[in-house]
PDB file of all heavy atoms in Angstrom:
ATOM      1  N   ALA A  52      85.758 116.946  72.709  1.00 95.00           N
ATOM      2  CA  ALA A  52      85.555 115.632  72.101  1.00 95.00           C
ATOM      3  C   ALA A  52      84.182 115.524  71.400  1.00 95.00           C
ATOM      4  O   ALA A  52      84.092 114.802  70.387  1.00 95.00           O
ATOM      5  CB  ALA A  52      85.676 114.620  73.168  1.00 95.00           C
ATOM      6  N   LEU A  53      83.254 116.316  71.874  1.00 94.00           N
ATOM      7  CA  LEU A  53      81.909 116.246  71.294  1.00 94.00           C
ATOM      8  C   LEU A  53      81.876 116.839  69.862  1.00 94.00           C
ATOM      9  O   LEU A  53      81.012 116.476  69.026  1.00 94.00           O
ATOM     10  CB  LEU A  53      80.874 117.002  72.142  1.00 94.00           C
ATOM     11  CG  LEU A  53      80.589 116.320  73.522  1.00 94.00           C
ATOM     12  CD1 LEU A  53      79.598 117.191  74.356  1.00 94.00           C
ATOM     13  CD2 LEU A  53      79.975 114.924  73.331  1.00 94.00           C
ATOM     14  N   THR A  54      82.841 117.684  69.552  1.00 95.00           N
ATOM     15  CA  THR A  54      82.852 118.318  68.258  1.00 95.00           C
ATOM     16  C   THR A  54      84.007 117.889  67.393  1.00 95.00           C
ATOM     17  O   THR A  54      84.113 118.171  66.218  1.00 95.00           O
ATOM     18  CB  THR A  54      82.965 119.874  68.341  1.00 95.00           C
ATOM     19  OG1 THR A  54      84.199 120.198  69.075  1.00 95.00           O
ATOM     20  CG2 THR A  54      81.845 120.427  69.120  1.00 95.00           C
ATOM     21  N   GLY A  55      84.889 117.002  67.929  1.00 96.00           N
ATOM     22  CA  GLY A  55      86.048 116.547  67.178  1.00 96.00           C
ATOM     23  C   GLY A  55      85.821 115.179  66.516  1.00 96.00           C
ATOM     24  O   GLY A  55      84.739 114.542  66.708  1.00 96.00           O
ATOM     25  N   LYS A  56      86.759 114.704  65.776  1.00 96.00           N
ATOM     26  CA  LYS A  56      86.744 113.381  65.128  1.00 96.00           C
ATOM     27  C   LYS A  56      87.865 112.530  65.667  1.00 96.00           C
ATOM     28  O   LYS A  56      88.941 113.014  66.072  1.00 96.00           O
ATOM     29  CB  LYS A  56      86.925 113.622  63.621  1.00 96.00           C
ATOM     30  CG  LYS A  56      85.814 114.455  62.970  1.00 96.00           C
ATOM     31  CD  LYS A  56      86.120 114.629  61.482  1.00 96.00           C
ATOM     32  CE  LYS A  56      85.076 115.508  60.777  1.00 96.00           C
ATOM     33  NZ  LYS A  56      85.420 115.631  59.321  1.00 96.00           N
ATOM     34  N   GLU A  57      87.607 111.180  65.616  1.00 95.00           N
ATOM     35  CA  GLU A  57      88.652 110.319  66.096  1.00 95.00           C
ATOM     36  C   GLU A  57      89.694 110.055  64.939  1.00 95.00           C
ATOM     37  O   GLU A  57      89.677 109.037  64.330  1.00 95.00           O
ATOM     38  CB  GLU A  57      87.996 108.929  66.545  1.00 95.00           C
ATOM     39  CG  GLU A  57      88.922 108.068  67.267  1.00 95.00           C
ATOM     40  CD  GLU A  57      88.266 106.756  67.723  1.00 95.00           C
ATOM     41  OE1 GLU A  57      87.081 106.693  67.665  1.00 95.00           O
ATOM     42  OE2 GLU A  57      89.035 105.812  67.969  1.00 95.00           O
ATOM     43  N   SER A  58      90.543 111.136  64.817  1.00 94.00           N
ATOM     44  CA  SER A  58      91.452 111.111  63.651  1.00 94.00           C
ATOM     45  C   SER A  58      92.778 110.456  63.944  1.00 94.00           C
ATOM     46  O   SER A  58      93.555 110.249  63.082  1.00 94.00           O
ATOM     47  CB  SER A  58      91.651 112.587  63.237  1.00 94.00           C
ATOM     48  OG  SER A  58      90.511 113.218  62.873  1.00 94.00           O
ATOM     49  N   TYR A  59      93.090 110.259  65.264  1.00 95.00           N
ATOM     50  CA  TYR A  59      94.389 109.749  65.679  1.00 95.00           C
ATOM     51  C   TYR A  59      94.245 108.348  66.298  1.00 95.00           C
ATOM     52  O   TYR A  59      93.299 108.181  67.118  1.00 95.00           O
ATOM     53  CB  TYR A  59      95.061 110.693  66.660  1.00 95.00           C
ATOM     54  CG  TYR A  59      95.154 112.136  66.149  1.00 95.00           C
ATOM     55  CD1 TYR A  59      94.280 113.127  66.558  1.00 95.00           C
ATOM     56  CD2 TYR A  59      96.158 112.412  65.194  1.00 95.00           C
ATOM     57  CE1 TYR A  59      94.399 114.394  66.072  1.00 95.00           C
ATOM     58  CE2 TYR A  59      96.238 113.752  64.660  1.00 95.00           C
ATOM     59  CZ  TYR A  59      95.363 114.729  65.200  1.00 95.00           C
ATOM     60  OH  TYR A  59      95.421 115.999  64.680  1.00 95.00           O
ATOM     61  N   GLN A  60      95.021 107.428  65.832  1.00 94.00           N
ATOM     62  CA  GLN A  60      95.038 106.074  66.386  1.00 94.00           C
ATOM     63  C   GLN A  60      95.800 106.021  67.675  1.00 94.00           C
ATOM     64  O   GLN A  60      96.999 106.073  67.687  1.00 94.00           O
ATOM     65  CB  GLN A  60      95.553 105.044  65.358  1.00 94.00           C
ATOM     66  CG  GLN A  60      94.721 104.970  64.089  1.00 94.00           C
ATOM     67  CD  GLN A  60      93.280 104.543  64.370  1.00 94.00           C
ATOM     68  OE1 GLN A  60      93.005 103.612  65.034  1.00 94.00           O
ATOM     69  NE2 GLN A  60      92.346 105.256  63.781  1.00 94.00           N
ATOM     70  N   LEU A  61      95.104 105.931  68.743  1.00 97.00           N
ATOM     71  CA  LEU A  61      95.777 105.914  70.080  1.00 97.00           C
ATOM     72  C   LEU A  61      95.558 104.554  70.750  1.00 97.00           C
ATOM     73  O   LEU A  61      94.629 103.863  70.427  1.00 97.00           O
ATOM     74  CB  LEU A  61      95.136 106.990  71.001  1.00 97.00           C
ATOM     75  CG  LEU A  61      95.338 108.444  70.487  1.00 97.00           C
ATOM     76  CD1 LEU A  61      94.637 109.373  71.446  1.00 97.00           C
ATOM     77  CD2 LEU A  61      96.775 108.849  70.457  1.00 97.00           C
ATOM     78  N   PRO A  62      96.540 104.151  71.553  1.00 96.00           N
ATOM     79  CA  PRO A  62      96.472 102.781  72.159  1.00 96.00           C
ATOM     80  C   PRO A  62      95.369 102.683  73.252  1.00 96.00           C
ATOM     81  O   PRO A  62      94.966 103.693  73.760  1.00 96.00           O
ATOM     82  CB  PRO A  62      97.855 102.671  72.749  1.00 96.00           C
ATOM     83  CG  PRO A  62      98.290 104.046  73.128  1.00 96.00           C
ATOM     84  CD  PRO A  62      97.760 104.898  71.933  1.00 96.00           C
ATOM     85  N   ARG A  63      94.994 101.463  73.475  1.00 96.00           N
ATOM     86  CA  ARG A  63      94.028 101.129  74.594  1.00 96.00           C
ATOM     87  C   ARG A  63      94.828 100.262  75.551  1.00 96.00           C
ATOM     88  O   ARG A  63      94.753  99.085  75.519  1.00 96.00           O
ATOM     89  CB  ARG A  63      92.845 100.358  74.020  1.00 96.00           C
ATOM     90  CG  ARG A  63      91.716 101.202  73.527  1.00 96.00           C
ATOM     91  CD  ARG A  63      91.940 101.925  72.261  1.00 96.00           C
ATOM     92  NE  ARG A  63      90.702 102.495  71.685  1.00 96.00           N
ATOM     93  CZ  ARG A  63      90.691 103.486  70.846  1.00 96.00           C
ATOM     94  NH1 ARG A  63      91.846 104.066  70.409  1.00 96.00           N
ATOM     95  NH2 ARG A  63      89.523 103.931  70.392  1.00 96.00           N
ATOM     96  N   PRO A  64      95.607 100.868  76.477  1.00 93.00           N
ATOM     97  CA  PRO A  64      96.471 100.106  77.376  1.00 93.00           C
ATOM     98  C   PRO A  64      95.683  99.052  78.175  1.00 93.00           C
ATOM     99  O   PRO A  64      94.608  99.313  78.773  1.00 93.00           O
ATOM    100  CB  PRO A  64      97.059 101.195  78.273  1.00 93.00           C
ATOM    101  CG  PRO A  64      96.993 102.432  77.467  1.00 93.00           C
ATOM    102  CD  PRO A  64      95.653 102.322  76.682  1.00 93.00           C
ATOM    103  N   MET A  65      96.255  97.861  78.216  1.00 94.00           N
ATOM    104  CA  MET A  65      95.724  96.744  79.019  1.00 94.00           C
ATOM    105  C   MET A  65      94.289  96.374  78.709  1.00 94.00           C
ATOM    106  O   MET A  65      93.568  95.856  79.531  1.00 94.00           O
ATOM    107  CB  MET A  65      95.858  97.026  80.516  1.00 94.00           C
ATOM    108  CG  MET A  65      97.273  97.305  81.003  1.00 94.00           C
ATOM    109  SD  MET A  65      97.460  97.564  82.780  1.00 94.00           S
ATOM    110  CE  MET A  65      97.092  95.856  83.359  1.00 94.00           C
ATOM    111  N   LEU A  66      93.886  96.678  77.492  1.00 94.00           N
ATOM    112  CA  LEU A  66      92.458  96.516  77.124  1.00 94.00           C
ATOM    113  C   LEU A  66      92.061  95.000  77.302  1.00 94.00           C
ATOM    114  O   LEU A  66      90.904  94.741  77.756  1.00 94.00           O
ATOM    115  CB  LEU A  66      92.220  96.901  75.674  1.00 94.00           C
ATOM    116  CG  LEU A  66      90.837  96.813  75.145  1.00 94.00           C
ATOM    117  CD1 LEU A  66      89.900  97.806  75.824  1.00 94.00           C
ATOM    118  CD2 LEU A  66      90.714  96.999  73.635  1.00 94.00           C
ATOM    119  N   ASP A  67      92.880  94.123  76.907  1.00 93.00           N
ATOM    120  CA  ASP A  67      92.533  92.688  76.964  1.00 93.00           C
ATOM    121  C   ASP A  67      93.092  91.907  78.139  1.00 93.00           C
ATOM    122  O   ASP A  67      93.206  90.701  78.114  1.00 93.00           O
ATOM    123  CB  ASP A  67      93.015  92.030  75.616  1.00 93.00           C
ATOM    124  CG  ASP A  67      92.371  92.666  74.395  1.00 93.00           C
ATOM    125  OD1 ASP A  67      91.173  92.924  74.451  1.00 93.00           O
ATOM    126  OD2 ASP A  67      93.132  92.907  73.435  1.00 93.00           O
ATOM    127  N   VAL A  68      93.563  92.693  79.121  1.00 90.00           N
ATOM    128  CA  VAL A  68      94.236  92.066  80.301  1.00 90.00           C
ATOM    129  C   VAL A  68      93.523  92.386  81.558  1.00 90.00           C
ATOM    130  O   VAL A  68      93.526  93.515  82.112  1.00 90.00           O
ATOM    131  CB  VAL A  68      95.699  92.567  80.401  1.00 90.00           C
ATOM    132  CG1 VAL A  68      96.384  91.910  81.593  1.00 90.00           C
ATOM    133  CG2 VAL A  68      96.459  92.322  79.142  1.00 90.00           C
ATOM    134  N   GLY A  69      92.799  91.325  82.113  1.00 95.00           N
ATOM    135  CA  GLY A  69      92.188  91.462  83.456  1.00 95.00           C
ATOM    136  C   GLY A  69      91.326  92.694  83.661  1.00 95.00           C
ATOM    137  O   GLY A  69      90.651  93.224  82.763  1.00 95.00           O
ATOM    138  N   TYR A  70      91.449  93.195  84.905  1.00 97.00           N
ATOM    139  CA  TYR A  70      90.640  94.328  85.367  1.00 97.00           C
ATOM    140  C   TYR A  70      91.407  95.593  85.707  1.00 97.00           C
ATOM    141  O   TYR A  70      90.870  96.580  86.068  1.00 97.00           O
ATOM    142  CB  TYR A  70      89.758  93.919  86.542  1.00 97.00           C
ATOM    143  CG  TYR A  70      88.658  92.905  86.234  1.00 97.00           C
ATOM    144  CD1 TYR A  70      88.707  91.620  86.796  1.00 97.00           C
ATOM    145  CD2 TYR A  70      87.685  93.156  85.319  1.00 97.00           C
ATOM    146  CE1 TYR A  70      87.700  90.668  86.511  1.00 97.00           C
ATOM    147  CE2 TYR A  70      86.718  92.245  85.031  1.00 97.00           C
ATOM    148  CZ  TYR A  70      86.750  90.984  85.602  1.00 97.00           C
ATOM    149  OH  TYR A  70      85.785  90.073  85.234  1.00 97.00           O
ATOM    150  N   ASP A  71      92.722  95.484  85.705  1.00 97.00           N
ATOM    151  CA  ASP A  71      93.558  96.620  86.054  1.00 97.00           C
ATOM    152  C   ASP A  71      93.628  97.593  84.896  1.00 97.00           C
ATOM    153  O   ASP A  71      93.329  97.238  83.726  1.00 97.00           O
ATOM    154  CB  ASP A  71      94.966  96.181  86.468  1.00 97.00           C
ATOM    155  CG  ASP A  71      95.012  95.558  87.848  1.00 97.00           C
ATOM    156  OD1 ASP A  71      94.223  95.896  88.657  1.00 97.00           O
ATOM    157  OD2 ASP A  71      95.899  94.724  88.027  1.00 97.00           O
ATOM    158  N   PHE A  72      93.975  98.857  85.300  1.00 96.00           N
ATOM    159  CA  PHE A  72      94.021  99.910  84.296  1.00 96.00           C
ATOM    160  C   PHE A  72      95.396 100.518  84.233  1.00 96.00           C
ATOM    161  O   PHE A  72      96.159 100.430  85.182  1.00 96.00           O
ATOM    162  CB  PHE A  72      93.051 101.055  84.697  1.00 96.00           C
ATOM    163  CG  PHE A  72      91.609 100.625  84.810  1.00 96.00           C
ATOM    164  CD1 PHE A  72      91.139 100.148  86.005  1.00 96.00           C
ATOM    165  CD2 PHE A  72      90.704 100.629  83.764  1.00 96.00           C
ATOM    166  CE1 PHE A  72      89.807  99.791  86.173  1.00 96.00           C
ATOM    167  CE2 PHE A  72      89.382 100.266  83.864  1.00 96.00           C
ATOM    168  CZ  PHE A  72      88.973  99.840  85.110  1.00 96.00           C
ATOM    169  N   SER A  73      95.755 101.175  83.083  1.00 95.00           N
ATOM    170  CA  SER A  73      96.950 101.969  82.957  1.00 95.00           C
ATOM    171  C   SER A  73      96.664 103.082  81.900  1.00 95.00           C
ATOM    172  O   SER A  73      96.175 102.736  80.830  1.00 95.00           O
ATOM    173  CB  SER A  73      98.059 101.025  82.461  1.00 95.00           C
ATOM    174  OG  SER A  73      99.201 101.848  82.141  1.00 95.00           O
ATOM    175  N   PHE A  74      96.969 104.260  82.307  1.00 94.00           N
ATOM    176  CA  PHE A  74      96.715 105.374  81.385  1.00 94.00           C
ATOM    177  C   PHE A  74      97.927 106.192  81.036  1.00 94.00           C
ATOM    178  O   PHE A  74      97.875 107.115  80.208  1.00 94.00           O
ATOM    179  CB  PHE A  74      95.628 106.316  81.919  1.00 94.00           C
ATOM    180  CG  PHE A  74      94.252 105.650  82.023  1.00 94.00           C
ATOM    181  CD1 PHE A  74      93.778 105.104  83.194  1.00 94.00           C
ATOM    182  CD2 PHE A  74      93.487 105.563  80.892  1.00 94.00           C
ATOM    183  CE1 PHE A  74      92.543 104.444  83.243  1.00 94.00           C
ATOM    184  CE2 PHE A  74      92.224 104.931  80.895  1.00 94.00           C
ATOM    185  CZ  PHE A  74      91.777 104.387  82.089  1.00 94.00           C
ATOM    186  N   SER A  75      99.091 105.813  81.583  1.00 92.00           N
ATOM    187  CA  SER A  75     100.306 106.628  81.299  1.00 92.00           C
ATOM    188  C   SER A  75     100.709 106.425  79.792  1.00 92.00           C
ATOM    189  O   SER A  75     101.209 107.422  79.199  1.00 92.00           O
ATOM    190  CB  SER A  75     101.427 106.183  82.236  1.00 92.00           C
ATOM    191  OG  SER A  75     101.755 104.836  82.019  1.00 92.00           O
ATOM    192  N   GLY A  76     100.549 105.226  79.336  1.00 93.00           N
ATOM    193  CA  GLY A  76     100.947 105.046  77.899  1.00 93.00           C
ATOM    194  C   GLY A  76     100.080 105.828  76.974  1.00 93.00           C
ATOM    195  O   GLY A  76     100.544 106.347  75.924  1.00 93.00           O
ATOM    196  N   LEU A  77      98.804 105.844  77.242  1.00 95.00           N
ATOM    197  CA  LEU A  77      97.876 106.648  76.418  1.00 95.00           C
ATOM    198  C   LEU A  77      98.187 108.149  76.510  1.00 95.00           C
ATOM    199  O   LEU A  77      98.226 108.788  75.493  1.00 95.00           O
ATOM    200  CB  LEU A  77      96.455 106.423  76.974  1.00 95.00           C
ATOM    201  CG  LEU A  77      95.328 107.260  76.332  1.00 95.00           C
ATOM    202  CD1 LEU A  77      95.320 107.060  74.784  1.00 95.00           C
ATOM    203  CD2 LEU A  77      93.977 106.893  76.918  1.00 95.00           C
ATOM    204  N   LYS A  78      98.502 108.593  77.690  1.00 94.00           N
ATOM    205  CA  LYS A  78      98.890 110.022  77.822  1.00 94.00           C
ATOM    206  C   LYS A  78     100.199 110.304  77.040  1.00 94.00           C
ATOM    207  O   LYS A  78     100.272 111.364  76.377  1.00 94.00           O
ATOM    208  CB  LYS A  78      99.133 110.263  79.327  1.00 94.00           C
ATOM    209  CG  LYS A  78      99.582 111.635  79.704  1.00 94.00           C
ATOM    210  CD  LYS A  78     100.044 111.705  81.106  1.00 94.00           C
ATOM    211  CE  LYS A  78     101.245 110.804  81.308  1.00 94.00           C
ATOM    212  NZ  LYS A  78     101.776 110.816  82.697  1.00 94.00           N
ATOM    213  N   SER A  79     101.153 109.409  77.024  1.00 94.00           N
ATOM    214  CA  SER A  79     102.410 109.575  76.303  1.00 94.00           C
ATOM    215  C   SER A  79     102.111 109.605  74.797  1.00 94.00           C
ATOM    216  O   SER A  79     102.761 110.365  73.985  1.00 94.00           O
ATOM    217  CB  SER A  79     103.395 108.500  76.670  1.00 94.00           C
ATOM    218  OG  SER A  79     103.789 108.559  77.993  1.00 94.00           O
ATOM    219  N   ALA A  80     101.208 108.713  74.365  1.00 96.00           N
ATOM    220  CA  ALA A  80     100.857 108.681  72.919  1.00 96.00           C
ATOM    221  C   ALA A  80     100.236 110.002  72.484  1.00 96.00           C
ATOM    222  O   ALA A  80     100.540 110.523  71.368  1.00 96.00           O
ATOM    223  CB  ALA A  80      99.924 107.558  72.667  1.00 96.00           C
TER     224      ALA A  80
END
């Protein structure tokens, strides 16, 4: 990541919802 570019638009699951987390959708993307 230190040498790459943010070239792909990936989701930020549950970003605007409370304090819980979810990373399965990001992994699938």
Side-chain angles (χ1 to χ4, degrees):
L53 293 176
T54 58
K56 299 178 181 179
E57 193 180 344
S58 303
Y59 305 102
Q60 296 300 312
L61 297 176
R63 273 70 169 160
M65 300 184 70
L66 183 68
D67 300 318
V68 182
Y70 293 118
D71 286 330
F72 301 89
S73 172
F74 292 98
S75 62
L77 174 58
K78 177 192 64 180
S79 297

